[in-house]
Amino acid sequence: MFDFIRTHRRWMQFILLLLIVPSFMVVGVSSYETFVNREPELADVGEQQISRAEFDAAHRNQLEQMRQRLGSRFDAALVDTPAMRRQLLDDLIDQRLLAQVAADNRFSVSDGALRNTIAAIPQVQDNGRFSPERYRQVLAAQGLTPTSFEAGLRRDLAVSRVLDPVSATSRLPASVVDGIESAFVQQRTVQTRVFAAADYRDKVQVSQQDIQAWYDANKQQLEVPEQVQAQYLVLDEAAASQGVTVSDADVDSYYKQNQSRFGQPERRRLSHILIQVAPGASEDDRKQARQRADQIAKQAAANPAGFADLARKESQDAGSAGQGGDLGWVVPPTLQQAAGALSKDQVSGVVETPAGFHVLKVTDFQAGAVKPLAEVKDQITAEIRKQLASARFADMATSLTKLVYDQRDSLQPAADALNVKLRTASGITRTGLLPAGQSGADAASASPDAALLDNPRVRQTLYSPEVLRDKANSGVIELAPDTMLAVRVQQVKPAHVPPLAEVQDSIRQRLVSERAAQAARQAGEAALKALQEGTQAGAAPEGFGEARTLSRQDPGQTPRPLLEAIMGMTPPAEGKPGYAGVAMGPDYTVVRLERVAPGTVFSPEDHTMLSSQLSSAWGAAEQDAVVKLLRQQYEVKVLPAAEPLMQAQTPDAG
């Protein structure tokens, strides 16, 4: 057969051509292109598309930025949510849309505008002026060239011209700003009466049938998520310090080598007389100041006891002259050094510093002293132990890294070799630690190591395929420079609904709380109805607290739901209070509104700031509205291929 094909090759080519071309025409060129290019498109933006590859690249960059910002607290399962992904896709769509609008409308940026924008960047300035050398250095540090950076900046500036005019012209009318300010400072005097759910708990009855019915109807709420029981080793300073001993000889040697740290050098308390010399003074001025200082030095040396009076009269140091020139124990190093050879009550010659010419006197002296070894022995011992532990920690970390891989099915050999306790913890889920009541013995949430075990990196490692499925030792997890963990899954407990016997007490408490809250609300609503029907002027009925005045500007300790209810009440009629009710958690609060006052208006500066903030918010809202209109004009569509991607779980989530 193959001989026939080789002999009649031209005939076979013709037959294949007849078979392929019609099928190609039936299937279509577009199907062929789809077969060749399998990259799905997530959105249409005018005549352009956003591909899966573009989204994935932006998504990786976003997660990496979060990882760098959060460090060990980064948990992809918590931050990489469907809402975050949708927002990222919307951002990509808006960026592409605005770029297309800028291109279609031929928005451009002149070379002069580009130069001015670059010159205004603080990072490329030297003493407030643009520095070409620093500009090149900054770009090189980011892996950019001037050409690529300027092209990108020119594009961004052109895109900004689409929306900048919208926000630039956004100004709220003065009447609107005045109205908002009035509402913000308006004062309302109120009294409240709280119907607390706790007061009704004793009156609530819950039967076993009620508990059973709730259990049968709400099993999904009771489901305990998948959890693992883990063995783990902690290598930290405490582990590295274990067994470290410090000898008396080590302490004595350390003490002798560091005596300057355990004592106080000799000190001199100084007074001075200063003859100032202005910066940039002429040589003649300096000479005259020196001559005057020499004369004062001679007078002081002749009568050291009168130094304070002389300082009050002659010194040009306004800070010390009134105290007789006293500088205290802590003085500038130059003066302390100049007085180093002086004894108590001795006066120096003239000492020159950048401030001028000084005459010094030592008014007190403290000899150097070193604390005795017995007094600092514990401190020295702790410091030596910490140094030894630090060196030992590095060796133990290297050993741990090797040991966890030498025998992958157990951490015990590593624990034995390093003399570190092998610990056990249960109730570790993908997203956190279960309460002790749901975890059983060795609950991770009740462990001293709870913060370590709840670290996102530890949980992600425990639920990685190799550790979870194969129950193999993890690698070393470095949570901090002095804290490392190695973990191993000992047991996996699948998600389950606990039997009624285990949860009936918690169900009972839940039903009691719900029914007590319902009773409190019913009592509050009944009281509110009676008050509204019989509203009269006069003192507040029994049960209301003291009157207090509050505003949106100064709400005091008022909870937000209650504040919103108070500020939303209709001002009472003349001489009659108004009433309203609001549920806050399990309690119900009845509000009595007695009067409304205008409050104190803003200062001109605060009024201007409020107007600016409101205009900025209004401008942002107008920009959003313009983007929505542009989306309609350019027929932006999010394609079906995007929806599964919005719900997909990132690999980093474990």
Side-chain angles (χ1 to χ4, degrees), residues 374-506:
E375 189 175 332
V376 296
K377 183 175 182 180
D378 291 344
Q379 176 187 347
I380 293 175
T381 301
E383 290 182 6
I384 296 175
R385 181 179 289 111
K386 188 170 184 177
Q387 292 177 4
L388 295 174
S390 178
R392 189 179 180 213
F393 179 89
D395 295 337
M396 293 176 72
T398 301
S399 298
L400 179 62
T401 302
K402 178 178 182 297
L403 289 167
V404 294
Y405 287 108
D406 285 348
Q407 187 173 335
R408 298 301 307 279
D409 60 352
S410 176
L411 287 172
Q412 191 63 56
D416 294 340
L418 298 176
N419 194 27
V420 176
K421 181 181 178 182
L422 182 60
R423 313 176 196 183
T424 303
S426 59
I428 307 173
T429 74
R430 293 179 184 270
T431 58
L433 307 181
L434 292 177
Q438 295 181 338
S439 304
D442 299 319
S445 58
S447 165
D449 301 322
L452 301 179
L453 296 170
D454 196 30
N455 186 284
R457 291 182 58 197
V458 175
R459 288 187 277 105
Q460 290 168 15
T461 300
L462 283 168
Y463 282 90
S464 62
E466 184 179 19
V467 177
L468 182 66
R469 181 188 63 238
D470 301 337
K471 296 184 173 57
N473 296 343
S474 73
V476 174
I477 309 169
E478 183 177 351
L479 300 182
D482 60 350
T483 305
M484 297 180 176
L485 267 75
V487 297
R488 177 177 172 271
V489 171
Q490 192 173 31
Q491 182 182 357
V492 180
K493 192 172 184 179
H496 66 284
V497 176
L500 177 60
E502 291 184 9
V503 295
Q504 65 177 359
D505 288 342
S506 62

Side-chain angles (χ1 to χ4, degrees), residues 9 15 53 128 161 186 190 219 254 256 275 293 308 333 361 447 480:
R9 182 179 299 171
I15 293 172
R161 294 187 60 189
Q186 185 186 80
V190 298
K219 288 185 177 180
Y254 189 93
K256 291 178 180 177
I275 303 302
K361 178 187 176 183
S447 165

Side-chain angles (χ1 to χ4, degrees), residues 190-509:
V190 298
Q191 293 173 275
T192 58
R193 180 183 177 184
V194 178
F195 292 82
D199 296 338
Y200 296 85
R201 292 181 67 89
D202 294 341
K203 303 175 184 178
V204 173
Q205 300 294 325
V206 176
S207 67
Q208 189 63 33
Q209 289 77 13
D210 294 334
I211 296 174
Q212 182 69 56
W214 193 95
Y215 177 81
D216 293 338
N218 298 277
K219 288 185 177 180
Q220 186 175 1
Q221 294 186 39
L222 297 171
E223 184 178 77
V224 178
E226 179 186 31
Q227 58 181 294
V228 298
Q229 183 183 63
Q231 289 183 321
Y232 64 101
L233 299 175
V234 178
L235 179 57
D236 55 13
E237 183 180 339
S241 300
Q242 187 176 358
V244 173
T245 59
V246 179
S247 67
D248 289 341
D250 292 336
V251 173
D252 186 63
S253 175
Y254 189 93
Y255 176 73
K256 291 178 180 177
Q257 294 174 15
N258 297 274
Q259 281 195 352
S260 60
R261 291 184 47 220
F262 304 113
Q264 176 179 290
E266 65 178 31
R267 298 195 304 168
R268 289 170 172 80
R269 182 165 185 159
L270 299 182
S271 292
H272 83 144
I273 299 171
L274 171 65
I275 303 302
Q276 292 180 333
V277 177
S282 66
E283 188 61 31
D284 287 342
D285 290 341
R286 295 187 64 84
K287 185 176 180 180
Q288 292 177 9
R290 176 65 189 238
Q291 290 174 350
R292 183 179 178 187
D294 286 335
Q295 294 173 356
I296 292 173
K298 291 177 181 178
Q299 294 180 45
N303 182 22
F307 190 93
D309 292 336
L310 188 62
R312 292 187 186 95
K313 179 181 177 182
E314 300 289 351
S315 181
Q316 296 175 348
D317 179 8
S320 67
Q323 287 74 45
D326 182 36
L327 294 174
W329 292 100
V330 180
V331 298
T334 53
L335 299 184
Q336 190 71 262
Q337 183 178 2
L342 300 178
S343 58
K344 184 178 178 181
D345 295 330
Q346 186 176 0
V347 177
S348 74
V350 176
V351 177
E352 183 177 357
T353 71
F357 299 99
H358 306 257
V359 178
L360 307 176
K361 178 187 176 183
V362 176
T363 59
D364 202 352
F365 175 81
Q366 288 182 350
V370 178
K371 295 179 181 178
L373 176 59
E375 189 175 332
V376 296
K377 183 175 182 180
D378 291 344
Q379 176 187 347
I380 293 175
T381 301
E383 290 182 6
I384 296 175
R385 181 179 289 111
K386 188 170 184 177
Q387 292 177 4
L388 295 174
S390 178
R392 189 179 180 213
F393 179 89
D395 295 337
M396 293 176 72
T398 301
S399 298
L400 179 62
T401 302
K402 178 178 182 297
L403 289 167
V404 294
Y405 287 108
D406 285 348
Q407 187 173 335
R408 298 301 307 279
D409 60 352
S410 176
L411 287 172
Q412 191 63 56
D416 294 340
L418 298 176
N419 194 27
V420 176
K421 181 181 178 182
L422 182 60
R423 313 176 196 183
T424 303
S426 59
I428 307 173
T429 74
R430 293 179 184 270
T431 58
L433 307 181
L434 292 177
Q438 295 181 338
S439 304
D442 299 319
S445 58
S447 165
D449 301 322
L452 301 179
L453 296 170
D454 196 30
N455 186 284
R457 291 182 58 197
V458 175
R459 288 187 277 105
Q460 290 168 15
T461 300
L462 283 168
Y463 282 90
S464 62
E466 184 179 19
V467 177
L468 182 66
R469 181 188 63 238
D470 301 337
K471 296 184 173 57
N473 296 343
S474 73
V476 174
I477 309 169
E478 183 177 351
L479 300 182
D482 60 350
T483 305
M484 297 180 176
L485 267 75
V487 297
R488 177 177 172 271
V489 171
Q490 192 173 31
Q491 182 182 357
V492 180
K493 192 172 184 179
H496 66 284
V497 176
L500 177 60
E502 291 184 9
V503 295
Q504 65 177 359
D505 288 342
S506 62
I507 294 175
R508 182 185 301 277
Q509 292 301 316

